[in-house]
C-alpha cells in the first residue's frame, strides 16, 4: 500500500518536472527567438518627399516612388493636389491616393516658393499626429535619389531617441550647422517629436525664414538637437548636395569649400561606397544609380554563394556601372576607363 503510494508520488513528481523543464525550454526558446528577431529588424523610416503638380503630371513623382520611395516603411508626397483628384480632409492637410499617397497642407492655395517652411511644418504636424512611432523621418525633394537600404544600415546603431539629425553638413547660417535639403536629411524620432510638440503648441515656436532646410535644422538646434556626422570611415561623403558626376569631377563644387563642414574631395575619394542621398538626379539618373548599386549588391551576393568571393560594394564600381549604363541607354560607347580612373 505504502509502496504504491510512494510510486504514484514519484511518477507525479517526474511528470511535473518534465512538464516544467519542457515549458522552461519552450519559453527560453521563444525569448531567444524574439531576441534575434528584434536584432534583425532594421530601423523604420518615414519619408516626406516634396513634389509639385507638374512633376506628378509628367510621372516624375511616380518614378521616384517606384525607384526608392516605396522602400520607405511609410511615406507621403507633399504637393498641391492636382485638380482632377478628390482628396479627403484631415486635420491640417488634404490627403489622396492615386498610385501613391500625397498630402497638401490645408492653408496652401497655390504652389509657391513663399511658404515652403510652413508647407513642411504643417505636413510634419500631420505625420506627428498620425504616424508618431517611426524610428527616423527622412525629408527630401523629388530630385534626390535615396538608397533606403544604405540609409537603414547607417542608422542601425544611431541613437533614435536622442534629438539628432544626419545629412550633408553645412557650417554656415545656423549656429552648430544645418543639412542641405538637396540630397535629403534624416531626423531621429527624438528630434522629430521634440520640434513637432513645440509646433503643436504654437507653430511660431519654430523659425520661418521661408527656407525650409535652414528653418527645420535651426528649430532642432534651438531645442538642443545635435548635428550628427555622416561621412564614412575614410572621410567620404554619404550625402551629395551637388549631384553624382559634378561631385566626382569637381565641377561646380568650389563654392562648397567655405560652406561645407568638410572641404569637398573630387575623384574616387569624393563619395562613400555606401552612398545614401544624391541631389540633382532626374528620373533616368536616379534609375541608373539605383541599378548600379543594387545589381552590384546582387551580383556580389551570387559570387559569394558560388565561389565564397566576399567582395564589398565599391564606389568605383558603382561609377563604372553608372557610366556603362549611360552608354547602354544612349547607344554610345563614350566611356573611357583610362580617362576616368
Ligand atoms: C515573441 O513575439 C511575439 C510576436 O511579436 C509575441 O506575441 C510573443 O509574446 C513574444 N514572446 C516572448 C516570450 O516575448
Ligand atoms: C504616366 O504613366 C501612366 C501610367 O501610369 C501613363 O499612362 C502615362 O502616359 C504617363 N504619362 C507621361 C506623361 O509619361
Ligand atoms: C502663405 O500662407 C499664409 C497662411 O499661412 C497665407 O496667408 C499667404 O497668402 C501664403 N503666401 C503665399 C505666397 O502663398
Ligand atoms: C582616354 O583617356 C586617356 C587619358 O585621359 C587619353 O589619353 C586617351 O586618348 C582616351 N581615349 C579615348 C579613346 O578617348
Amino acid at each position: 500500500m505504502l509502496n504504491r503510494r510512494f510510486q504514484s508520488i514519484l511518477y507525479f513528481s517526474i511528470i511535473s518536472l518534465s512538464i516544467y523543464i519542457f515549458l522552461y525550454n519552450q519559453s527560453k526558446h521563444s525569448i531567444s527567438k524574439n531576441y534575434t528577431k528584434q536584432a534583425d529588424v532594421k530601423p523604420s523610416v518615414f519619408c516626406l518627399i516634396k513634389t509639385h503638380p507638374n512633376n506628378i503630371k509628367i510621372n516624375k513623382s511616380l518614378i521616384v516612388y517606384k525607384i526608392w520611395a516605396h522602400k520607405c516603411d511609410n511615406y507621403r508626397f507633399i504637393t498641391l493636389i492636382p485638380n482632377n483628384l478628390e482628396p479627403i480632409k484631415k486635420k491640417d492637410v488634404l490627403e489622396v491616393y492615386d498610385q501613391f499617397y500625397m498630402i497638401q497642407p490645408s492653408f496652401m492655395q497655390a504652389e509657391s516658393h513663399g511658404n515652403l517652411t510652413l508647407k513642411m511644418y504643417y505636413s510634419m504636424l500631420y505625420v506627428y499626429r498620425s504616424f508618431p512611432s517611426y524610428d527616423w523621418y527622412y525629408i527630401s525633394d523629388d530630385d534626390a535619389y535615396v538608397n533606403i537600404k544604405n540609409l537603414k544600415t547607417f542608422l542601425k546603431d544611431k541613437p533614435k531617441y536622442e534629438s539628432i539629425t544626419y545629412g550633408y553638413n553645412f557650417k554656415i547660417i545656423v549656429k552648430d550647422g544645418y543639412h542641405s535639403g538637396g540630397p535629403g536629411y534624416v531626423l531621429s524620432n527624438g528630434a522629430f517629436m521634440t520640434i513637432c510638440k513645440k509646433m503643436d503648441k504654437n507653430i511660431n515656436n519654430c523659425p520661418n525664414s521661408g527656407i525650409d532646410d535652414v528653418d527645420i535644422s535651426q528649430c532642432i538646434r534651438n531645442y538642443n538637437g545635435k548635428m550628427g556626422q555622416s561621412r564614412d570611415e575614410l572621410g567620404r561623403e554619404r550625402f551629395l548636395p551637388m549631384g553624382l558626376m559634378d561631385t566626382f569631377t569637381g565641377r561646380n563644387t568650389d563654392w562648397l569649400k567655405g560652406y561645407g563642414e568638410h572641404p569637398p574631395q573630387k575623384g574616387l575619394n569624393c563619395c562613400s561606397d555606401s552612398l545614401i542621398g544624391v541631389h540633382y538626379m532626374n528620373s533616368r539618373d536616379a534609375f541608373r544609380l539605383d541599378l548600379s548599386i543594387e545589381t552590384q549588391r546582387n551580383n556580389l551576393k551570387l559570387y559569394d554563394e558560388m565561389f565564397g568571393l566576399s567582395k564589398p560594394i565599391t564606389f568605383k564600381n558603382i561609377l563604372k556601372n553608372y557610366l556603362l549604363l549611360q552608354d547602354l541607354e544612349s547607344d554610345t560607347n563614350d566611356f573611357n576607363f583610362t580617362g576616368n580612373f
Side-chain angles (χ1 to χ4, degrees), residues 140-262:
S140 83
D141 280 355
D142 62 3
D143 63 347
Y145 165 74
V146 184
N147 190 290
I148 298 296
K149 200 169 193 144
N150 288 350
L151 172 69
K152 288 189 172 202
T153 304
F154 172 75
L155 292 174
K156 219 168 175 171
D157 60 355
K158 302 293 183 290
K160 64 185 181 191
Y161 294 123
E162 255 177 51
S163 180
I164 191 163
T165 58
Y166 298 92
Y168 180 81
N169 293 2
F170 279 125
K171 64 179 180 187
I172 47 153
I173 303 179
V174 175
K175 184 179 170 296
D176 301 326
Y178 79 100
H179 301 296
S180 164
Y185 52 98
V186 67
L187 278 54
S188 66
N189 178 285
F192 192 77
M193 289 301 131
T194 302
I195 65 166
C196 286
K197 264 182 206 145
K198 298 287 178 189
M199 285 194 283
D200 198 25
K201 281 194 193 119
N202 183 346
I203 200 89
N204 298 318
N205 281 339
C206 281
N208 180 7
S209 74
I211 306 170
D212 54 322
D213 50 4
V214 168
D215 289 339
I216 290 170
S217 278
Q218 179 72 66
C219 190
I220 290 166
R221 309 292 165 248
N222 285 354
Y223 297 108
N224 302 317
K226 275 192 254 168
M227 181 160 84
Q229 293 294 330
S230 59
R231 295 186 312 159
D232 70 12
E233 55 289 350
L234 298 175
R236 300 171 302 182
E237 300 285 354
R238 287 191 169 93
F239 294 83
L240 311 181
M242 291 309 292
L244 187 68
M245 291 317 290
D246 276 2
T247 306
F248 174 63
T249 59
R251 275 190 309 254
N252 306 322
T253 55
D254 271 354
W255 67 278
L256 281 177
K257 277 180 191 138
Y259 290 46
E261 188 177 48
H262 307 283

Side-chain angles (χ1 to χ4, degrees), residues 27-278:
S27 75
K28 230 174 67 176
H29 186 64
S30 69
I31 284 169
S32 68
K33 233 165 75 179
N34 275 13
Y35 240 84
T36 35
K37 208 178 143 198
Q38 276 172 8
D40 283 348
V41 170
K42 297 235 173 117
S44 58
V45 178
F46 193 106
C47 299
L48 275 164
I49 306 134
K50 287 175 280 175
T51 188
H52 56 82
N54 194 48
N55 282 353
I56 293 171
K57 199 166 143 193
I58 63 171
N59 285 343
K60 183 170 175 173
S61 321
L62 177 64
I63 290 171
V64 165
Y65 175 71
K66 285 185 178 175
I67 294 175
W68 63 265
H70 77 277
K71 294 180 183 171
C72 307
D73 297 282
N74 205 339
Y75 70 93
R76 289 295 181 274
F77 282 83
I78 303 171
T79 178
L80 194 70
I81 289 175
N83 288 330
N84 59 318
L85 302 176
E86 286 171 16
I88 300 162
K89 209 168 152 32
K90 312 253 177 168
K91 189 161 193 239
D92 292 328
V93 302
L94 306 170
E95 182 178 72
V96 73
Y97 178 85
D98 179 33
Q99 303 191 83
F100 50 85
Y101 276 105
M102 38 195 134
I103 54 175
Q104 169 183 338
S106 311
F107 80 87
M108 277 176 69
Q109 302 301 319
E111 196 69 47
S112 81
H113 279 284
N115 273 329
L116 277 181
T117 297
L118 284 182
K119 179 174 161 182
M120 286 312 300
Y121 284 174
Y122 282 110
S123 302
M124 288 164 78
L125 278 175
Y126 166 66
V127 173
Y128 161 75
R129 292 194 188 104
S130 310
F131 310 102
S133 54
Y134 288 83
D135 298 329
W136 299 89
Y137 294 84
Y138 199 93
I139 298 175
S140 83
D141 280 355
D142 62 3
D143 63 347
Y145 165 74
V146 184
N147 190 290
I148 298 296
K149 200 169 193 144
N150 288 350
L151 172 69
K152 288 189 172 202
T153 304
F154 172 75
L155 292 174
K156 219 168 175 171
D157 60 355
K158 302 293 183 290
K160 64 185 181 191
Y161 294 123
E162 255 177 51
S163 180
I164 191 163
T165 58
Y166 298 92
Y168 180 81
N169 293 2
F170 279 125
K171 64 179 180 187
I172 47 153
I173 303 179
V174 175
K175 184 179 170 296
D176 301 326
Y178 79 100
H179 301 296
S180 164
Y185 52 98
V186 67
L187 278 54
S188 66
N189 178 285
F192 192 77
M193 289 301 131
T194 302
I195 65 166
C196 286
K197 264 182 206 145
K198 298 287 178 189
M199 285 194 283
D200 198 25
K201 281 194 193 119
N202 183 346
I203 200 89
N204 298 318
N205 281 339
C206 281
N208 180 7
S209 74
I211 306 170
D212 54 322
D213 50 4
V214 168
D215 289 339
I216 290 170
S217 278
Q218 179 72 66
C219 190
I220 290 166
R221 309 292 165 248
N222 285 354
Y223 297 108
N224 302 317
K226 275 192 254 168
M227 181 160 84
Q229 293 294 330
S230 59
R231 295 186 312 159
D232 70 12
E233 55 289 350
L234 298 175
R236 300 171 302 182
E237 300 285 354
R238 287 191 169 93
F239 294 83
L240 311 181
M242 291 309 292
L244 187 68
M245 291 317 290
D246 276 2
T247 306
F248 174 63
T249 59
R251 275 190 309 254
N252 306 322
T253 55
D254 271 354
W255 67 278
L256 281 177
K257 277 180 191 138
Y259 290 46
E261 188 177 48
H262 307 283
Q265 307 185 69
K266 64 178 174 186
L268 291 174
N269 285 330
C270 70
C271 311
S272 177
D273 298 335
S274 48
L275 278 177
I276 295 176
V278 185

